[in-house]
Amino acid sequence: MAALTAAIANLKGGVGKSTTTVMLADGLAYYYGMNVLVIDLDPQANSSQMLLTEQGVQAASDQGKGTHHLLASFMAGKPPSAAPFVMPNAVTLEELRLAEAQDRRQGWISSLPAHPQLRLRELSLEEEWYGKSGTPTTLADALAKHFREAFAPLQSIYDIILLDCPPHLSPLARAGLALADAYITPTIADSVSTWGTKQFSDWVGKFIAPDLPSRNFVLITRFRDTKYARQVASDLREIYLKDRWFGPTIPESVHVLNAMDRAALDSYNTLRGKYAGVTGDVRRLAERFTDFMTQRTGVTWQKVRD
Amino acid sequence: MAESPGLTPVEYIDRFFDELRAEVRANPKLAARLVKALGGNVVFEDEAKADVANPYSLAAEGDKARFFKIFGAMKLGDLKKVLKENNLATRVDMTGKNADQLVDMLYTRAARKVHERKSSMF
């Protein structure tokens, strides 16, 4: 069975794309025993930092792991292959680490991390490409083709591939969006994020996925329970994005911030220890997204943990 | 519940729904949210219109006549409340306007915002 590839994307920054990526990776691995590959295409490298720590992101880069190295292999004209650039272990949960140690792997997370070097390498690639009369669109297409072939062998190893996309439409970002079977759109219940989500819908609908609504899973994040936010959230569900799947509303919470700050590369925590007051939100996110996956793929998933 | 250990499950459920019914009668906003969540169509009664009617939702339906019928029957104070609470007008904007002008403003601004925020592709 080929892994579903889901792009976590929105043209608006600061809406919780990286946090959603990590919460979803943890939730699907923990509750459903899925093997998850997180690919970070955002040079800010936030989801990589959340999974691996800053030290881990640098160590991965030093070991030749990361999307910037994958990009370098494309620039060097090497055959498409992503496996050598993957960090196989990006688990932060004690339950998953123990299951692996006891040789009964039920849920695993690997990372193809980003590094701030990614942006510089992308700029260098763009200069080289445009210098040869290439265009942003031909570069995006070439990258998408390379990535599709590079990720193909990974499709049978993982159950789901999560692509954490940057909040813009660079050729690299467009290549990532072109690979996706599904689009996870985190947004905030405010007017500027609502408008940003419209821009994203219009662009992806026009250039990449004319059937976007059936492939779009929307998540309201960083929710502050005010009358205004409730009204905007309701309008998103009932007016602006009423043809989309909605996940649970994720509250703005210090528990979320804490969960994304790993103590050290060799530090593990239980699911409840990591997520504390938002553990139920992680569970609901995994449940709802699994329903969405089932609707997309026809494959049903059973929980392996409560 | 601890003081009534003898209630049957059905009696507990009856109590729960009695409380829910009472709250729905007293709180039109909650009632509208519950009915919408269940997929129902909310009917606006005069005294609850200002609390329940959502100008964005009604403008998005595209039925201008229905929009004007619902909001056109409102009193000036209620219209100002709807405009203000939905971030569609400030006090300055509303000063000196009569009810008809406010309904026009409400429709124009709500429809424009819906147009701006809803995908033009879908």
Side-chain angles (χ1 to χ4, degrees):
Chain A
M1 184 187 63
L4 182 98
T5 302
I8 296 88
N10 192 331
L11 294 183
K12 171 82 172 65
V15 292
K17 289 184 289 295
S18 298
T19 304
T20 299
T21 303
V22 172
M23 287 176 88
L24 194 56
D26 278 342
L28 295 175
Y30 179 91
Y31 287 107
Y32 291 92
M34 290 190 204
N35 291 323
V36 183
L37 173 61
V38 176
I39 299 176
D40 196 348
L41 292 178
D42 188 344
Q44 293 181 78
N46 292 153
S47 62
S48 304
Q49 177 196 357
M50 291 165 184
L51 287 170
L52 302 173
T53 73
E54 296 92 314
Q55 179 201 8
V57 168
Q58 190 55 49
S61 178
D62 294 345
Q63 292 169 35
K65 312 290 187 188
T67 42
H68 58 307
H69 290 298
L70 175 64
L71 207 58
S73 81
F74 169 81
M75 294 168 74
K78 293 185 179 168
S81 175
F85 308 114
V86 172
M87 289 289 286
N89 179 6
V91 161
T92 67
L93 297 177
E94 177 68 352
E95 295 92 337
L96 303 184
R97 189 189 69 80
L98 282 176
E100 168 72 1
Q102 292 161 10
D103 208 19
R104 50 176 181 80
R105 182 181 288 190
Q106 284 186 311
W108 196 247
I109 300 173
S110 299
S111 164
L112 178 46
H115 184 278
Q117 279 288 329
L118 178 62
R119 186 59 193 138
L120 296 175
R121 200 148 289 173
E122 191 185 11
L123 281 173
S124 162
L125 169 61
E126 287 175 10
E127 284 190 8
E128 188 182 311
W129 191 269
Y130 304 153
K132 296 176 187 167
S133 303
T135 66
T137 299
T138 59
L139 178 54
D141 291 345
L143 283 170
K145 180 175 181 294
H146 187 87
F147 289 166
R148 190 169 285 114
E149 292 173 27
F151 298 151
L154 302 174
Q155 296 269 338
S156 58
I157 299 173
Y158 296 96
D159 299 305
I160 183 158
I161 296 174
L162 300 176
L163 288 169
D164 186 8
C165 294
H168 50 68
L169 291 171
S170 69
L172 178 64
R174 289 165 61 182
L177 291 171
L179 294 181
D181 304 306
Y183 300 89
I184 300 168
T185 311
T187 188
I188 299 174
D190 63 28
S191 61
V192 287
S193 303
T194 300
W195 196 42
T197 304
K198 172 214 161 76
Q199 313 301 325
F200 175 79
S201 262
D202 283 355
W203 195 89
V204 173
K206 184 171 181 183
F207 294 105
I208 296 183
D211 57 345
L212 178 65
S214 66
R215 296 162 66 180
N216 198 189
F217 183 89
V218 179
L219 199 64
I220 297 172
T221 64
R222 296 176 53 190
F223 185 74
R224 301 177 75 175
D225 192 11
T226 63
K227 186 177 168 187
Y228 173 73
R230 281 196 297 274
Q231 178 68 51
V232 177
S234 166
D235 290 348
L236 278 168
R237 288 172 184 274
E238 292 168 21
I239 303 171
Y240 308 124
L241 300 171
K242 70 175 180 183
D243 48 5
R244 318 297 163 93
W245 276 70
F246 269 80
T249 298
I250 307 296
E252 179 158 275
S253 161
V254 70
H255 298 305
V256 176
L257 295 175
N258 283 336
M260 298 303 138
D261 189 4
R262 191 178 184 186
L265 190 50
D266 59 353
S267 168
Y268 296 89
N269 204 342
T270 61
L271 181 87
R272 280 166 183 77
K274 179 172 180 177
Y275 285 102
V278 291
T279 304
D281 297 286
V282 175
R283 179 175 51 76
R284 282 187 287 277
L285 174 60
E287 288 170 348
R288 186 72 177 145
F289 189 75
T290 305
D291 288 344
F292 173 73
M293 280 178 72
T294 298
Q295 180 260 340
R296 292 291 313 155
T297 63
V299 177
T300 52
W301 291 88
Q302 301 297 323
K303 274 192 178 159
V304 299
R305 296 182 182 85
D306 289 319
Chain B
M1 292 215 184
E3 73 277 13
S4 304
L7 289 183
T8 67
V10 172
E11 287 168 328
Y12 276 119
I13 296 294
D14 279 347
R15 278 186 167 199
F16 171 77
F17 280 111
D18 285 345
E19 288 299 322
L20 191 61
R21 261 189 290 275
E23 185 59 26
V24 162
R25 283 197 187 95
N27 185 344
K29 281 187 177 175
L30 173 69
R33 289 213 311 273
L34 289 176
V35 172
K36 273 188 195 168
L38 292 167
N41 189 24
V42 180
V43 176
F44 302 100
E45 304 216 357
D46 282 348
E47 63 272 23
K49 271 182 193 168
D51 286 329
V52 175
N54 179 342
Y56 296 112
S57 178
L58 288 164
E61 287 176 12
D63 187 343
K64 194 171 175 181
R66 182 165 184 251
F67 188 101
F68 277 81
K69 186 179 172 196
I70 289 167
F71 290 105
M74 277 190 192
K75 293 174 187 160
L76 190 72
D78 287 337
L79 277 169
K80 286 185 175 179
K81 184 179 172 189
V82 172
L83 278 154
K84 185 91 174 49
E85 289 193 347
N86 286 281
N87 285 342
L88 286 167
T90 63
R91 283 184 196 284
V92 175
D93 299 339
M94 295 185 283
T95 301
K97 301 273 192 314
N98 63 32
D100 287 344
Q101 289 170 317
L102 290 182
V103 177
D104 280 339
M105 179 188 282
L106 185 63
Y107 181 77
T108 306
R109 292 185 175 188
R112 187 189 302 140
K113 284 214 169 178
V114 168
H115 177 72
E116 287 166 354
R117 294 175 181 182
K118 193 169 188 308
S119 172
S120 46
M121 288 292 296
F122 305 107

Short mmCIF file of all heavy atoms in Angstrom, two decimals, chain A residues 240-269:
data_model
loop_
_atom_site.label_atom_id
_atom_site.label_comp_id
_atom_site.label_asym_id
_atom_site.label_seq_id
_atom_site.Cartn_x
_atom_site.Cartn_y
_atom_site.Cartn_z
N TYR A 240 -17.18 30.19 4.28
CA TYR A 240 -16.02 30.30 3.41
C TYR A 240 -15.44 28.95 3.00
O TYR A 240 -14.93 28.80 1.90
CB TYR A 240 -14.94 31.17 4.06
CG TYR A 240 -15.49 32.50 4.51
CD1 TYR A 240 -15.37 32.91 5.83
CD2 TYR A 240 -16.16 33.33 3.62
CE1 TYR A 240 -15.89 34.12 6.25
CE2 TYR A 240 -16.68 34.54 4.03
CZ TYR A 240 -16.55 34.93 5.35
OH TYR A 240 -17.07 36.11 5.76
N LEU A 241 -15.45 27.99 3.92
CA LEU A 241 -14.83 26.68 3.63
C LEU A 241 -15.83 25.56 3.91
O LEU A 241 -15.46 24.50 4.41
CB LEU A 241 -13.57 26.51 4.49
CG LEU A 241 -12.47 27.55 4.28
CD1 LEU A 241 -11.38 27.41 5.33
CD2 LEU A 241 -11.85 27.42 2.88
N LYS A 242 -17.08 25.79 3.61
CA LYS A 242 -18.09 24.82 4.03
C LYS A 242 -18.03 23.51 3.25
O LYS A 242 -18.64 22.53 3.64
CB LYS A 242 -19.49 25.43 3.95
CG LYS A 242 -20.01 25.69 2.56
CD LYS A 242 -21.44 26.17 2.65
CE LYS A 242 -22.01 26.45 1.28
NZ LYS A 242 -23.36 26.97 1.33
N ASP A 243 -17.24 23.49 2.15
CA ASP A 243 -17.12 22.26 1.37
C ASP A 243 -15.88 21.45 1.77
O ASP A 243 -15.49 20.53 1.07
CB ASP A 243 -17.08 22.59 -0.12
CG ASP A 243 -16.10 23.70 -0.45
OD1 ASP A 243 -15.37 24.14 0.46
OD2 ASP A 243 -16.05 24.13 -1.61
N ARG A 244 -15.23 21.79 2.91
CA ARG A 244 -14.00 21.10 3.32
C ARG A 244 -14.24 20.21 4.53
O ARG A 244 -15.22 20.37 5.25
CB ARG A 244 -12.89 22.11 3.67
CG ARG A 244 -12.78 23.28 2.75
CD ARG A 244 -12.41 22.87 1.33
NE ARG A 244 -12.68 23.93 0.37
CZ ARG A 244 -11.78 24.83 -0.02
NH1 ARG A 244 -10.57 24.79 0.46
NH2 ARG A 244 -12.11 25.77 -0.89
N TRP A 245 -13.26 19.32 4.76
CA TRP A 245 -13.25 18.56 6.01
C TRP A 245 -12.65 19.45 7.10
O TRP A 245 -11.65 20.13 6.84
CB TRP A 245 -12.34 17.33 5.88
CG TRP A 245 -12.99 16.15 5.26
CD1 TRP A 245 -13.37 16.01 3.96
CD2 TRP A 245 -13.34 14.93 5.91
NE1 TRP A 245 -13.92 14.77 3.76
CE2 TRP A 245 -13.91 14.08 4.94
CE3 TRP A 245 -13.21 14.45 7.22
CZ2 TRP A 245 -14.36 12.80 5.23
CZ3 TRP A 245 -13.65 13.18 7.50
CH2 TRP A 245 -14.23 12.37 6.53
N PHE A 246 -13.22 19.41 8.28
CA PHE A 246 -12.65 20.16 9.40
C PHE A 246 -12.15 19.22 10.49
O PHE A 246 -12.83 18.25 10.83
CB PHE A 246 -13.68 21.12 9.99
CG PHE A 246 -13.67 22.48 9.35
CD1 PHE A 246 -14.31 22.69 8.14
CD2 PHE A 246 -12.97 23.53 9.93
CE1 PHE A 246 -14.28 23.94 7.52
CE2 PHE A 246 -12.93 24.78 9.32
CZ PHE A 246 -13.59 24.98 8.12
N GLY A 247 -10.98 19.52 10.99
CA GLY A 247 -10.47 18.80 12.16
C GLY A 247 -10.95 19.49 13.43
O GLY A 247 -11.69 20.48 13.36
N PRO A 248 -10.51 18.99 14.58
CA PRO A 248 -10.90 19.65 15.83
C PRO A 248 -10.25 21.03 15.94
O PRO A 248 -9.21 21.27 15.32
CB PRO A 248 -10.34 18.71 16.91
CG PRO A 248 -9.19 18.02 16.24
CD PRO A 248 -9.59 17.87 14.79
N THR A 249 -10.86 21.90 16.68
CA THR A 249 -10.27 23.23 16.90
C THR A 249 -9.20 23.11 17.99
O THR A 249 -9.47 22.63 19.08
CB THR A 249 -11.37 24.21 17.33
OG1 THR A 249 -12.31 24.30 16.25
CG2 THR A 249 -10.81 25.59 17.61
N ILE A 250 -7.98 23.53 17.63
CA ILE A 250 -6.86 23.40 18.57
C ILE A 250 -6.71 24.71 19.35
O ILE A 250 -6.54 25.77 18.74
CB ILE A 250 -5.54 23.11 17.81
CG1 ILE A 250 -5.71 21.90 16.87
CG2 ILE A 250 -4.40 22.90 18.77
CD1 ILE A 250 -5.98 20.59 17.54
N PRO A 251 -6.77 24.65 20.67
CA PRO A 251 -6.72 25.90 21.44
C PRO A 251 -5.32 26.50 21.49
O PRO A 251 -4.33 25.79 21.34
CB PRO A 251 -7.13 25.43 22.85
CG PRO A 251 -6.71 24.00 22.92
CD PRO A 251 -6.87 23.45 21.52
N GLU A 252 -5.28 27.82 21.67
CA GLU A 252 -3.99 28.44 21.98
C GLU A 252 -3.66 28.06 23.41
O GLU A 252 -4.45 28.33 24.31
CB GLU A 252 -4.08 29.96 21.83
CG GLU A 252 -2.77 30.62 22.16
CD GLU A 252 -2.66 32.00 21.55
OE1 GLU A 252 -2.27 32.09 20.39
OE2 GLU A 252 -2.97 32.97 22.23
N SER A 253 -2.54 27.43 23.59
CA SER A 253 -2.29 26.88 24.93
C SER A 253 -0.80 26.79 25.19
O SER A 253 -0.01 26.46 24.28
CB SER A 253 -2.91 25.47 25.01
OG SER A 253 -2.35 24.74 26.06
N VAL A 254 -0.45 27.02 26.42
CA VAL A 254 0.96 26.87 26.81
C VAL A 254 1.38 25.41 26.70
O VAL A 254 2.55 25.10 26.48
CB VAL A 254 1.17 27.44 28.24
CG1 VAL A 254 0.50 26.55 29.27
CG2 VAL A 254 2.65 27.61 28.54
N HIS A 255 0.40 24.50 26.78
CA HIS A 255 0.73 23.08 26.64
C HIS A 255 1.25 22.79 25.24
O HIS A 255 2.14 21.95 25.06
CB HIS A 255 -0.51 22.21 26.91
CG HIS A 255 -1.04 22.36 28.30
ND1 HIS A 255 -0.28 22.16 29.41
CD2 HIS A 255 -2.28 22.70 28.75
CE1 HIS A 255 -1.01 22.38 30.50
NE2 HIS A 255 -2.23 22.72 30.12
N VAL A 256 0.68 23.45 24.24
CA VAL A 256 1.14 23.25 22.86
C VAL A 256 2.57 23.77 22.73
O VAL A 256 3.45 23.10 22.16
CB VAL A 256 0.21 23.96 21.85
CG1 VAL A 256 0.76 23.83 20.44
CG2 VAL A 256 -1.20 23.39 21.92
N LEU A 257 2.82 24.96 23.27
CA LEU A 257 4.18 25.53 23.19
C LEU A 257 5.19 24.62 23.88
O LEU A 257 6.27 24.35 23.33
CB LEU A 257 4.19 26.92 23.86
CG LEU A 257 3.35 27.99 23.18
CD1 LEU A 257 3.36 29.27 24.00
CD2 LEU A 257 3.85 28.27 21.77
N ASN A 258 4.84 24.14 25.06
CA ASN A 258 5.76 23.25 25.79
C ASN A 258 6.02 21.97 25.01
O ASN A 258 7.15 21.47 24.99
CB ASN A 258 5.17 22.90 27.16
CG ASN A 258 5.32 24.03 28.15
OD1 ASN A 258 6.20 24.88 27.99
ND2 ASN A 258 4.46 24.07 29.16
N ALA A 259 4.96 21.43 24.40
CA ALA A 259 5.10 20.15 23.69
C ALA A 259 6.06 20.27 22.52
O ALA A 259 6.66 19.28 22.10
CB ALA A 259 3.72 19.68 23.19
N MET A 260 6.21 21.47 21.97
CA MET A 260 7.05 21.65 20.80
C MET A 260 8.50 22.00 21.17
O MET A 260 9.32 22.24 20.29
CB MET A 260 6.47 22.75 19.89
CG MET A 260 5.10 22.43 19.36
SD MET A 260 5.07 20.90 18.44
CE MET A 260 3.54 20.16 19.02
N ASP A 261 8.81 22.03 22.45
CA ASP A 261 10.15 22.40 22.91
C ASP A 261 10.82 21.17 23.54
O ASP A 261 10.73 20.95 24.75
CB ASP A 261 10.03 23.55 23.92
CG ASP A 261 11.38 24.14 24.28
OD1 ASP A 261 12.40 23.71 23.70
OD2 ASP A 261 11.42 25.03 25.15
N ARG A 262 11.45 20.36 22.72
CA ARG A 262 12.07 19.13 23.22
C ARG A 262 13.32 19.48 24.03
O ARG A 262 14.14 20.30 23.62
CB ARG A 262 12.45 18.24 22.02
CG ARG A 262 12.86 16.84 22.41
CD ARG A 262 13.15 16.01 21.17
NE ARG A 262 13.46 14.63 21.54
CZ ARG A 262 13.87 13.71 20.66
NH1 ARG A 262 14.00 14.03 19.38
NH2 ARG A 262 14.13 12.47 21.05
N ALA A 263 13.45 18.81 25.19
CA ALA A 263 14.52 19.17 26.12
C ALA A 263 15.90 18.91 25.52
O ALA A 263 16.81 19.72 25.65
CB ALA A 263 14.36 18.40 27.42
N ALA A 264 16.07 17.77 24.88
CA ALA A 264 17.36 17.40 24.29
C ALA A 264 17.12 16.29 23.30
O ALA A 264 16.06 15.67 23.30
CB ALA A 264 18.34 16.95 25.38
N LEU A 265 18.12 16.03 22.48
CA LEU A 265 17.97 15.03 21.44
C LEU A 265 17.75 13.63 22.01
O LEU A 265 17.12 12.78 21.38
CB LEU A 265 19.22 15.05 20.53
CG LEU A 265 19.19 14.25 19.24
CD1 LEU A 265 17.93 14.55 18.42
CD2 LEU A 265 20.42 14.55 18.41
N ASP A 266 18.26 13.38 23.22
CA ASP A 266 18.04 12.08 23.85
C ASP A 266 16.95 12.15 24.92
O ASP A 266 16.92 11.34 25.85
CB ASP A 266 19.35 11.53 24.44
CG ASP A 266 19.93 12.48 25.49
OD1 ASP A 266 19.38 13.61 25.64
OD2 ASP A 266 20.91 12.11 26.14
N SER A 267 16.08 13.14 24.83
CA SER A 267 14.98 13.29 25.78
C SER A 267 13.68 12.74 25.19
O SER A 267 13.34 13.05 24.05
CB SER A 267 14.81 14.78 26.13
OG SER A 267 13.60 14.97 26.82
N TYR A 268 13.00 11.90 25.96
CA TYR A 268 11.71 11.35 25.52
C TYR A 268 10.67 11.67 26.57
O TYR A 268 10.98 11.90 27.73
CB TYR A 268 11.83 9.82 25.33
CG TYR A 268 12.80 9.46 24.23
CD1 TYR A 268 14.15 9.28 24.51
CD2 TYR A 268 12.38 9.33 22.91
CE1 TYR A 268 15.06 8.98 23.51
CE2 TYR A 268 13.27 9.04 21.90
CZ TYR A 268 14.61 8.86 22.20
OH TYR A 268 15.51 8.58 21.20
N ASN A 269 9.42 11.65 26.16
CA ASN A 269 8.33 11.92 27.09
C ASN A 269 7.16 11.02 26.72
O ASN A 269 7.02 10.63 25.57
CB ASN A 269 7.92 13.40 27.01
CG ASN A 269 7.26 13.89 28.27
OD1 ASN A 269 6.81 13.09 29.10
ND2 ASN A 269 7.20 15.20 28.43
#
